[in-house]
Amino acid sequence: MDIYARITQDHDAARESIEQLKATTPRAVKTRKELFRNLKLDLWAHHKVEEAVFYAYLRDTTDMNSEAYEGLNEHHVINGLIEELDTFPVDSEEWGVKFGALSEIVDHHLKEEEDEFFKKAKKILSADAAKLMGERFDARKKVVLAAISPLDADLIRSA
Ligand SMILES: [Fe+2]
Ligand SMILES: [Fe+2]
Protein backbone atom coordinates (compact mmCIF):
# COMPACT_ATOMS: atom_id res chain seq x y z
CA MET A 1 0.00 0.00 0.00
CA ASP A 2 1.54 3.33 -0.97
CA ILE A 3 1.69 6.33 1.33
CA TYR A 4 -1.43 7.91 -0.21
CA ALA A 5 -3.57 4.82 0.27
CA ARG A 6 -2.16 4.26 3.77
CA ILE A 7 -2.84 7.81 4.93
CA THR A 8 -6.30 7.73 3.32
CA GLN A 9 -7.04 4.51 5.19
CA ASP A 10 -6.49 6.34 8.50
CA HIS A 11 -8.48 9.35 7.27
CA ASP A 12 -11.44 7.17 6.32
CA ALA A 13 -11.32 5.47 9.73
CA ALA A 14 -11.33 8.89 11.44
CA ARG A 15 -14.26 10.05 9.28
CA GLU A 16 -16.15 6.88 10.17
CA SER A 17 -15.52 7.33 13.91
CA ILE A 18 -16.63 10.97 13.72
CA GLU A 19 -19.84 10.00 11.91
CA GLN A 20 -20.51 7.31 14.52
CA LEU A 21 -19.92 9.81 17.32
CA LYS A 22 -22.23 12.34 15.69
CA ALA A 23 -24.96 9.71 15.58
CA THR A 24 -24.79 9.17 19.36
CA THR A 25 -26.97 11.02 21.87
CA PRO A 26 -25.53 12.49 25.11
CA ARG A 27 -27.15 9.56 26.95
CA ALA A 28 -24.89 7.06 25.19
CA VAL A 29 -22.07 7.85 27.62
CA LYS A 30 -20.25 4.53 27.40
CA THR A 31 -20.34 4.35 23.60
CA ARG A 32 -19.24 7.98 23.26
CA LYS A 33 -16.37 7.47 25.67
CA GLU A 34 -15.15 4.40 23.87
CA LEU A 35 -15.49 5.85 20.36
CA PHE A 36 -13.83 9.08 21.41
CA ARG A 37 -10.95 7.30 23.11
CA ASN A 38 -10.23 5.32 19.96
CA LEU A 39 -10.49 8.41 17.75
CA LYS A 40 -8.19 10.34 20.07
CA LEU A 41 -5.43 7.74 20.17
CA ASP A 42 -5.66 7.04 16.47
CA LEU A 43 -5.49 10.70 15.47
CA TRP A 44 -2.61 11.44 17.83
CA ALA A 45 -0.63 8.51 16.46
CA HIS A 46 -1.58 9.44 12.88
CA HIS A 47 -0.34 13.00 13.31
CA LYS A 48 2.97 11.96 14.87
CA VAL A 49 3.78 9.44 12.17
CA GLU A 50 2.52 11.65 9.37
CA GLU A 51 4.82 14.42 10.55
CA ALA A 52 7.85 12.15 10.85
CA VAL A 53 7.36 10.21 7.63
CA PHE A 54 5.42 12.36 5.17
CA TYR A 55 5.72 16.01 6.20
CA ALA A 56 9.41 15.84 7.07
CA TYR A 57 10.26 14.47 3.64
CA LEU A 58 8.11 16.96 1.76
CA ARG A 59 9.45 19.86 3.75
CA ASP A 60 13.04 18.96 3.01
CA THR A 61 12.63 18.23 -0.66
CA THR A 62 10.01 20.60 -2.04
CA ASP A 63 8.70 24.12 -1.86
CA MET A 64 6.05 22.84 0.53
CA ASN A 65 7.38 24.66 3.55
CA SER A 66 4.36 26.89 4.07
CA GLU A 67 1.82 24.11 3.48
CA ALA A 68 3.72 21.79 5.80
CA TYR A 69 3.72 24.41 8.55
CA GLU A 70 0.03 25.03 8.01
CA GLY A 71 -0.57 21.29 8.28
CA LEU A 72 1.56 21.03 11.43
CA ASN A 73 -0.32 23.91 12.95
CA GLU A 74 -3.62 22.19 12.23
CA HIS A 75 -2.33 19.01 13.90
CA HIS A 76 -1.49 21.16 16.89
CA VAL A 77 -4.98 22.70 16.98
CA ILE A 78 -6.69 19.32 16.54
CA ASN A 79 -4.57 17.65 19.24
CA GLY A 80 -5.33 20.54 21.59
CA LEU A 81 -9.07 20.39 20.94
CA ILE A 82 -9.01 16.66 21.64
CA GLU A 83 -7.22 17.32 24.91
CA GLU A 84 -9.80 19.95 25.87
CA LEU A 85 -12.65 17.60 24.95
CA ASP A 86 -11.12 15.05 27.28
CA THR A 87 -11.67 17.39 30.23
CA PHE A 88 -15.48 17.62 29.75
CA PRO A 89 -18.00 14.88 30.45
CA VAL A 90 -19.16 13.39 27.12
CA ASP A 91 -22.78 14.16 27.99
CA SER A 92 -22.16 17.88 28.64
CA GLU A 93 -23.15 20.71 26.31
CA GLU A 94 -19.53 21.89 26.13
CA TRP A 95 -18.44 18.51 24.84
CA GLY A 96 -21.07 18.62 22.09
CA VAL A 97 -20.06 22.11 20.97
CA LYS A 98 -16.33 21.36 21.01
CA PHE A 99 -16.86 18.09 19.22
CA GLY A 100 -18.67 19.97 16.45
CA ALA A 101 -15.63 22.26 16.08
CA LEU A 102 -13.28 19.27 16.07
CA SER A 103 -15.30 17.56 13.39
CA GLU A 104 -15.14 20.63 11.14
CA ILE A 105 -11.42 21.21 11.42
CA VAL A 106 -10.60 17.51 11.02
CA ASP A 107 -12.77 17.34 7.91
CA HIS A 108 -11.02 20.39 6.42
CA HIS A 109 -7.56 19.10 7.31
CA LEU A 110 -8.02 15.61 5.86
CA LYS A 111 -9.43 16.99 2.64
CA GLU A 112 -6.58 19.45 2.26
CA GLU A 113 -4.00 16.72 2.69
CA GLU A 114 -5.70 14.44 0.21
CA ASP A 115 -6.16 17.22 -2.36
CA GLU A 116 -3.15 19.55 -2.01
CA PHE A 117 -0.44 17.52 -0.28
CA PHE A 118 -0.94 14.35 -2.29
CA LYS A 119 -0.91 16.27 -5.57
CA LYS A 120 2.43 17.90 -4.75
CA ALA A 121 3.95 14.72 -3.32
CA LYS A 122 3.06 12.77 -6.46
CA LYS A 123 5.28 15.11 -8.46
CA ILE A 124 8.39 14.23 -6.46
CA LEU A 125 7.83 10.66 -5.23
CA SER A 126 8.30 7.71 -7.55
CA ALA A 127 5.79 4.86 -7.26
CA ASP A 128 8.43 2.74 -5.48
CA ALA A 129 9.29 5.54 -3.06
CA ALA A 130 5.60 6.09 -2.28
CA LYS A 131 5.21 2.39 -1.60
CA LEU A 132 8.24 2.27 0.69
CA MET A 133 6.99 5.33 2.55
CA GLY A 134 3.58 3.67 2.97
CA GLU A 135 5.22 0.58 4.48
CA ARG A 136 7.29 2.68 6.87
CA PHE A 137 4.23 4.67 7.85
CA ASP A 138 2.30 1.50 8.64
CA ALA A 139 5.12 -0.02 10.72
CA ARG A 140 5.66 3.16 12.73
CA LYS A 141 1.95 3.75 13.26
CA LYS A 142 1.61 0.36 14.94
CA VAL A 143 4.50 1.16 17.30
CA VAL A 144 3.27 4.67 18.17
CA LEU A 145 -0.32 3.56 18.70
CA ALA A 146 0.81 0.75 21.00
CA ALA A 147 3.11 3.14 22.88
CA ILE A 148 0.35 5.64 23.68
CA SER A 149 -2.45 3.15 24.39
CA PRO A 150 -3.19 2.72 28.11
CA LEU A 151 -1.74 -0.39 29.66
CA ASP A 152 -4.24 -3.21 30.18
CA ALA A 153 -5.04 -2.93 33.89
CA ASP A 154 -6.29 -6.54 34.09
CA LEU A 155 -2.94 -7.76 32.88
CA ILE A 156 -1.16 -6.00 35.75
CA ARG A 157 -3.73 -7.07 38.34
CA SER A 158 -3.35 -10.69 37.37
CA ALA A 159 0.47 -10.61 37.51
FE1 LIG B 1 -2.55 15.54 9.00
FE1 LIG C 1 -3.51 12.90 7.71
Side-chain angles (χ1 to χ4, degrees):
M1 196 183 293
D2 67 21
I3 187 66
Y4 315 110
R6 184 58 191 81
I7 285 179
T8 304
Q9 188 182 43
D10 272 4
H11 288 183
D12 287 344
R15 289 182 177 110
E16 173 75 27
S17 299
I18 288 172
E19 283 315 306
Q20 285 178 353
L21 272 160
K22 276 186 183 168
T24 60
T25 65
R27 277 179 301 158
V29 172
K30 215 175 145 207
T31 309
R32 267 194 184 181
K33 269 190 186 166
E34 201 175 305
L35 282 170
F36 182 64
R37 177 181 168 275
N38 291 340
L39 176 69
K40 170 180 83 176
L41 294 174
D42 206 71
L43 274 180
W44 278 351
H46 177 81
H47 293 158
K48 274 288 163 222
V49 179
E50 197 168 61
E51 286 166 18
V53 174
F54 190 53
Y55 279 35
Y57 185 81
L58 295 180
R59 218 169 45 187
D60 288 348
T61 51
T62 64
D63 59 349
M64 282 199 69
N65 253 319
S66 58
E67 285 98 334
Y69 281 116
E70 193 188 320
L72 286 173
N73 188 50
E74 282 174 6
H75 285 179
H76 186 70
V77 173
I78 294 168
N79 291 347
L81 258 176
I82 289 173
E83 233 168 309
E84 273 186 61
L85 266 161
D86 239 355
T87 66
F88 293 107
V90 293
D91 55 353
S92 66
E93 204 184 320
E94 290 93 337
W95 194 92
V97 171
K98 279 196 188 290
F99 183 74
L102 177 76
S103 149
E104 272 177 35
I105 183 169
V106 168
D107 190 55
H108 157 86
H109 178 75
L110 303 185
K111 205 171 169 314
E112 192 163 73
E113 280 179 347
E114 289 167 12
D115 294 345
E116 313 285 320
F117 282 56
F118 285 8
K119 203 199 293 172
K120 287 208 171 182
K122 280 175 183 166
K123 287 187 188 155
I124 56 156
L125 281 177
S126 67
D128 283 348
K131 196 165 175 292
L132 178 68
M133 202 186 262
E135 285 161 10
R136 291 290 151 87
F137 183 103
D138 192 59
R140 286 185 181 209
K141 172 82 190 301
K142 287 190 178 93
V143 174
V144 173
L145 193 56
I148 63 172
S149 296
L151 196 63
D152 182 357
D154 291 339
L155 185 83
I156 300 302
R157 269 187 226 111
S158 64

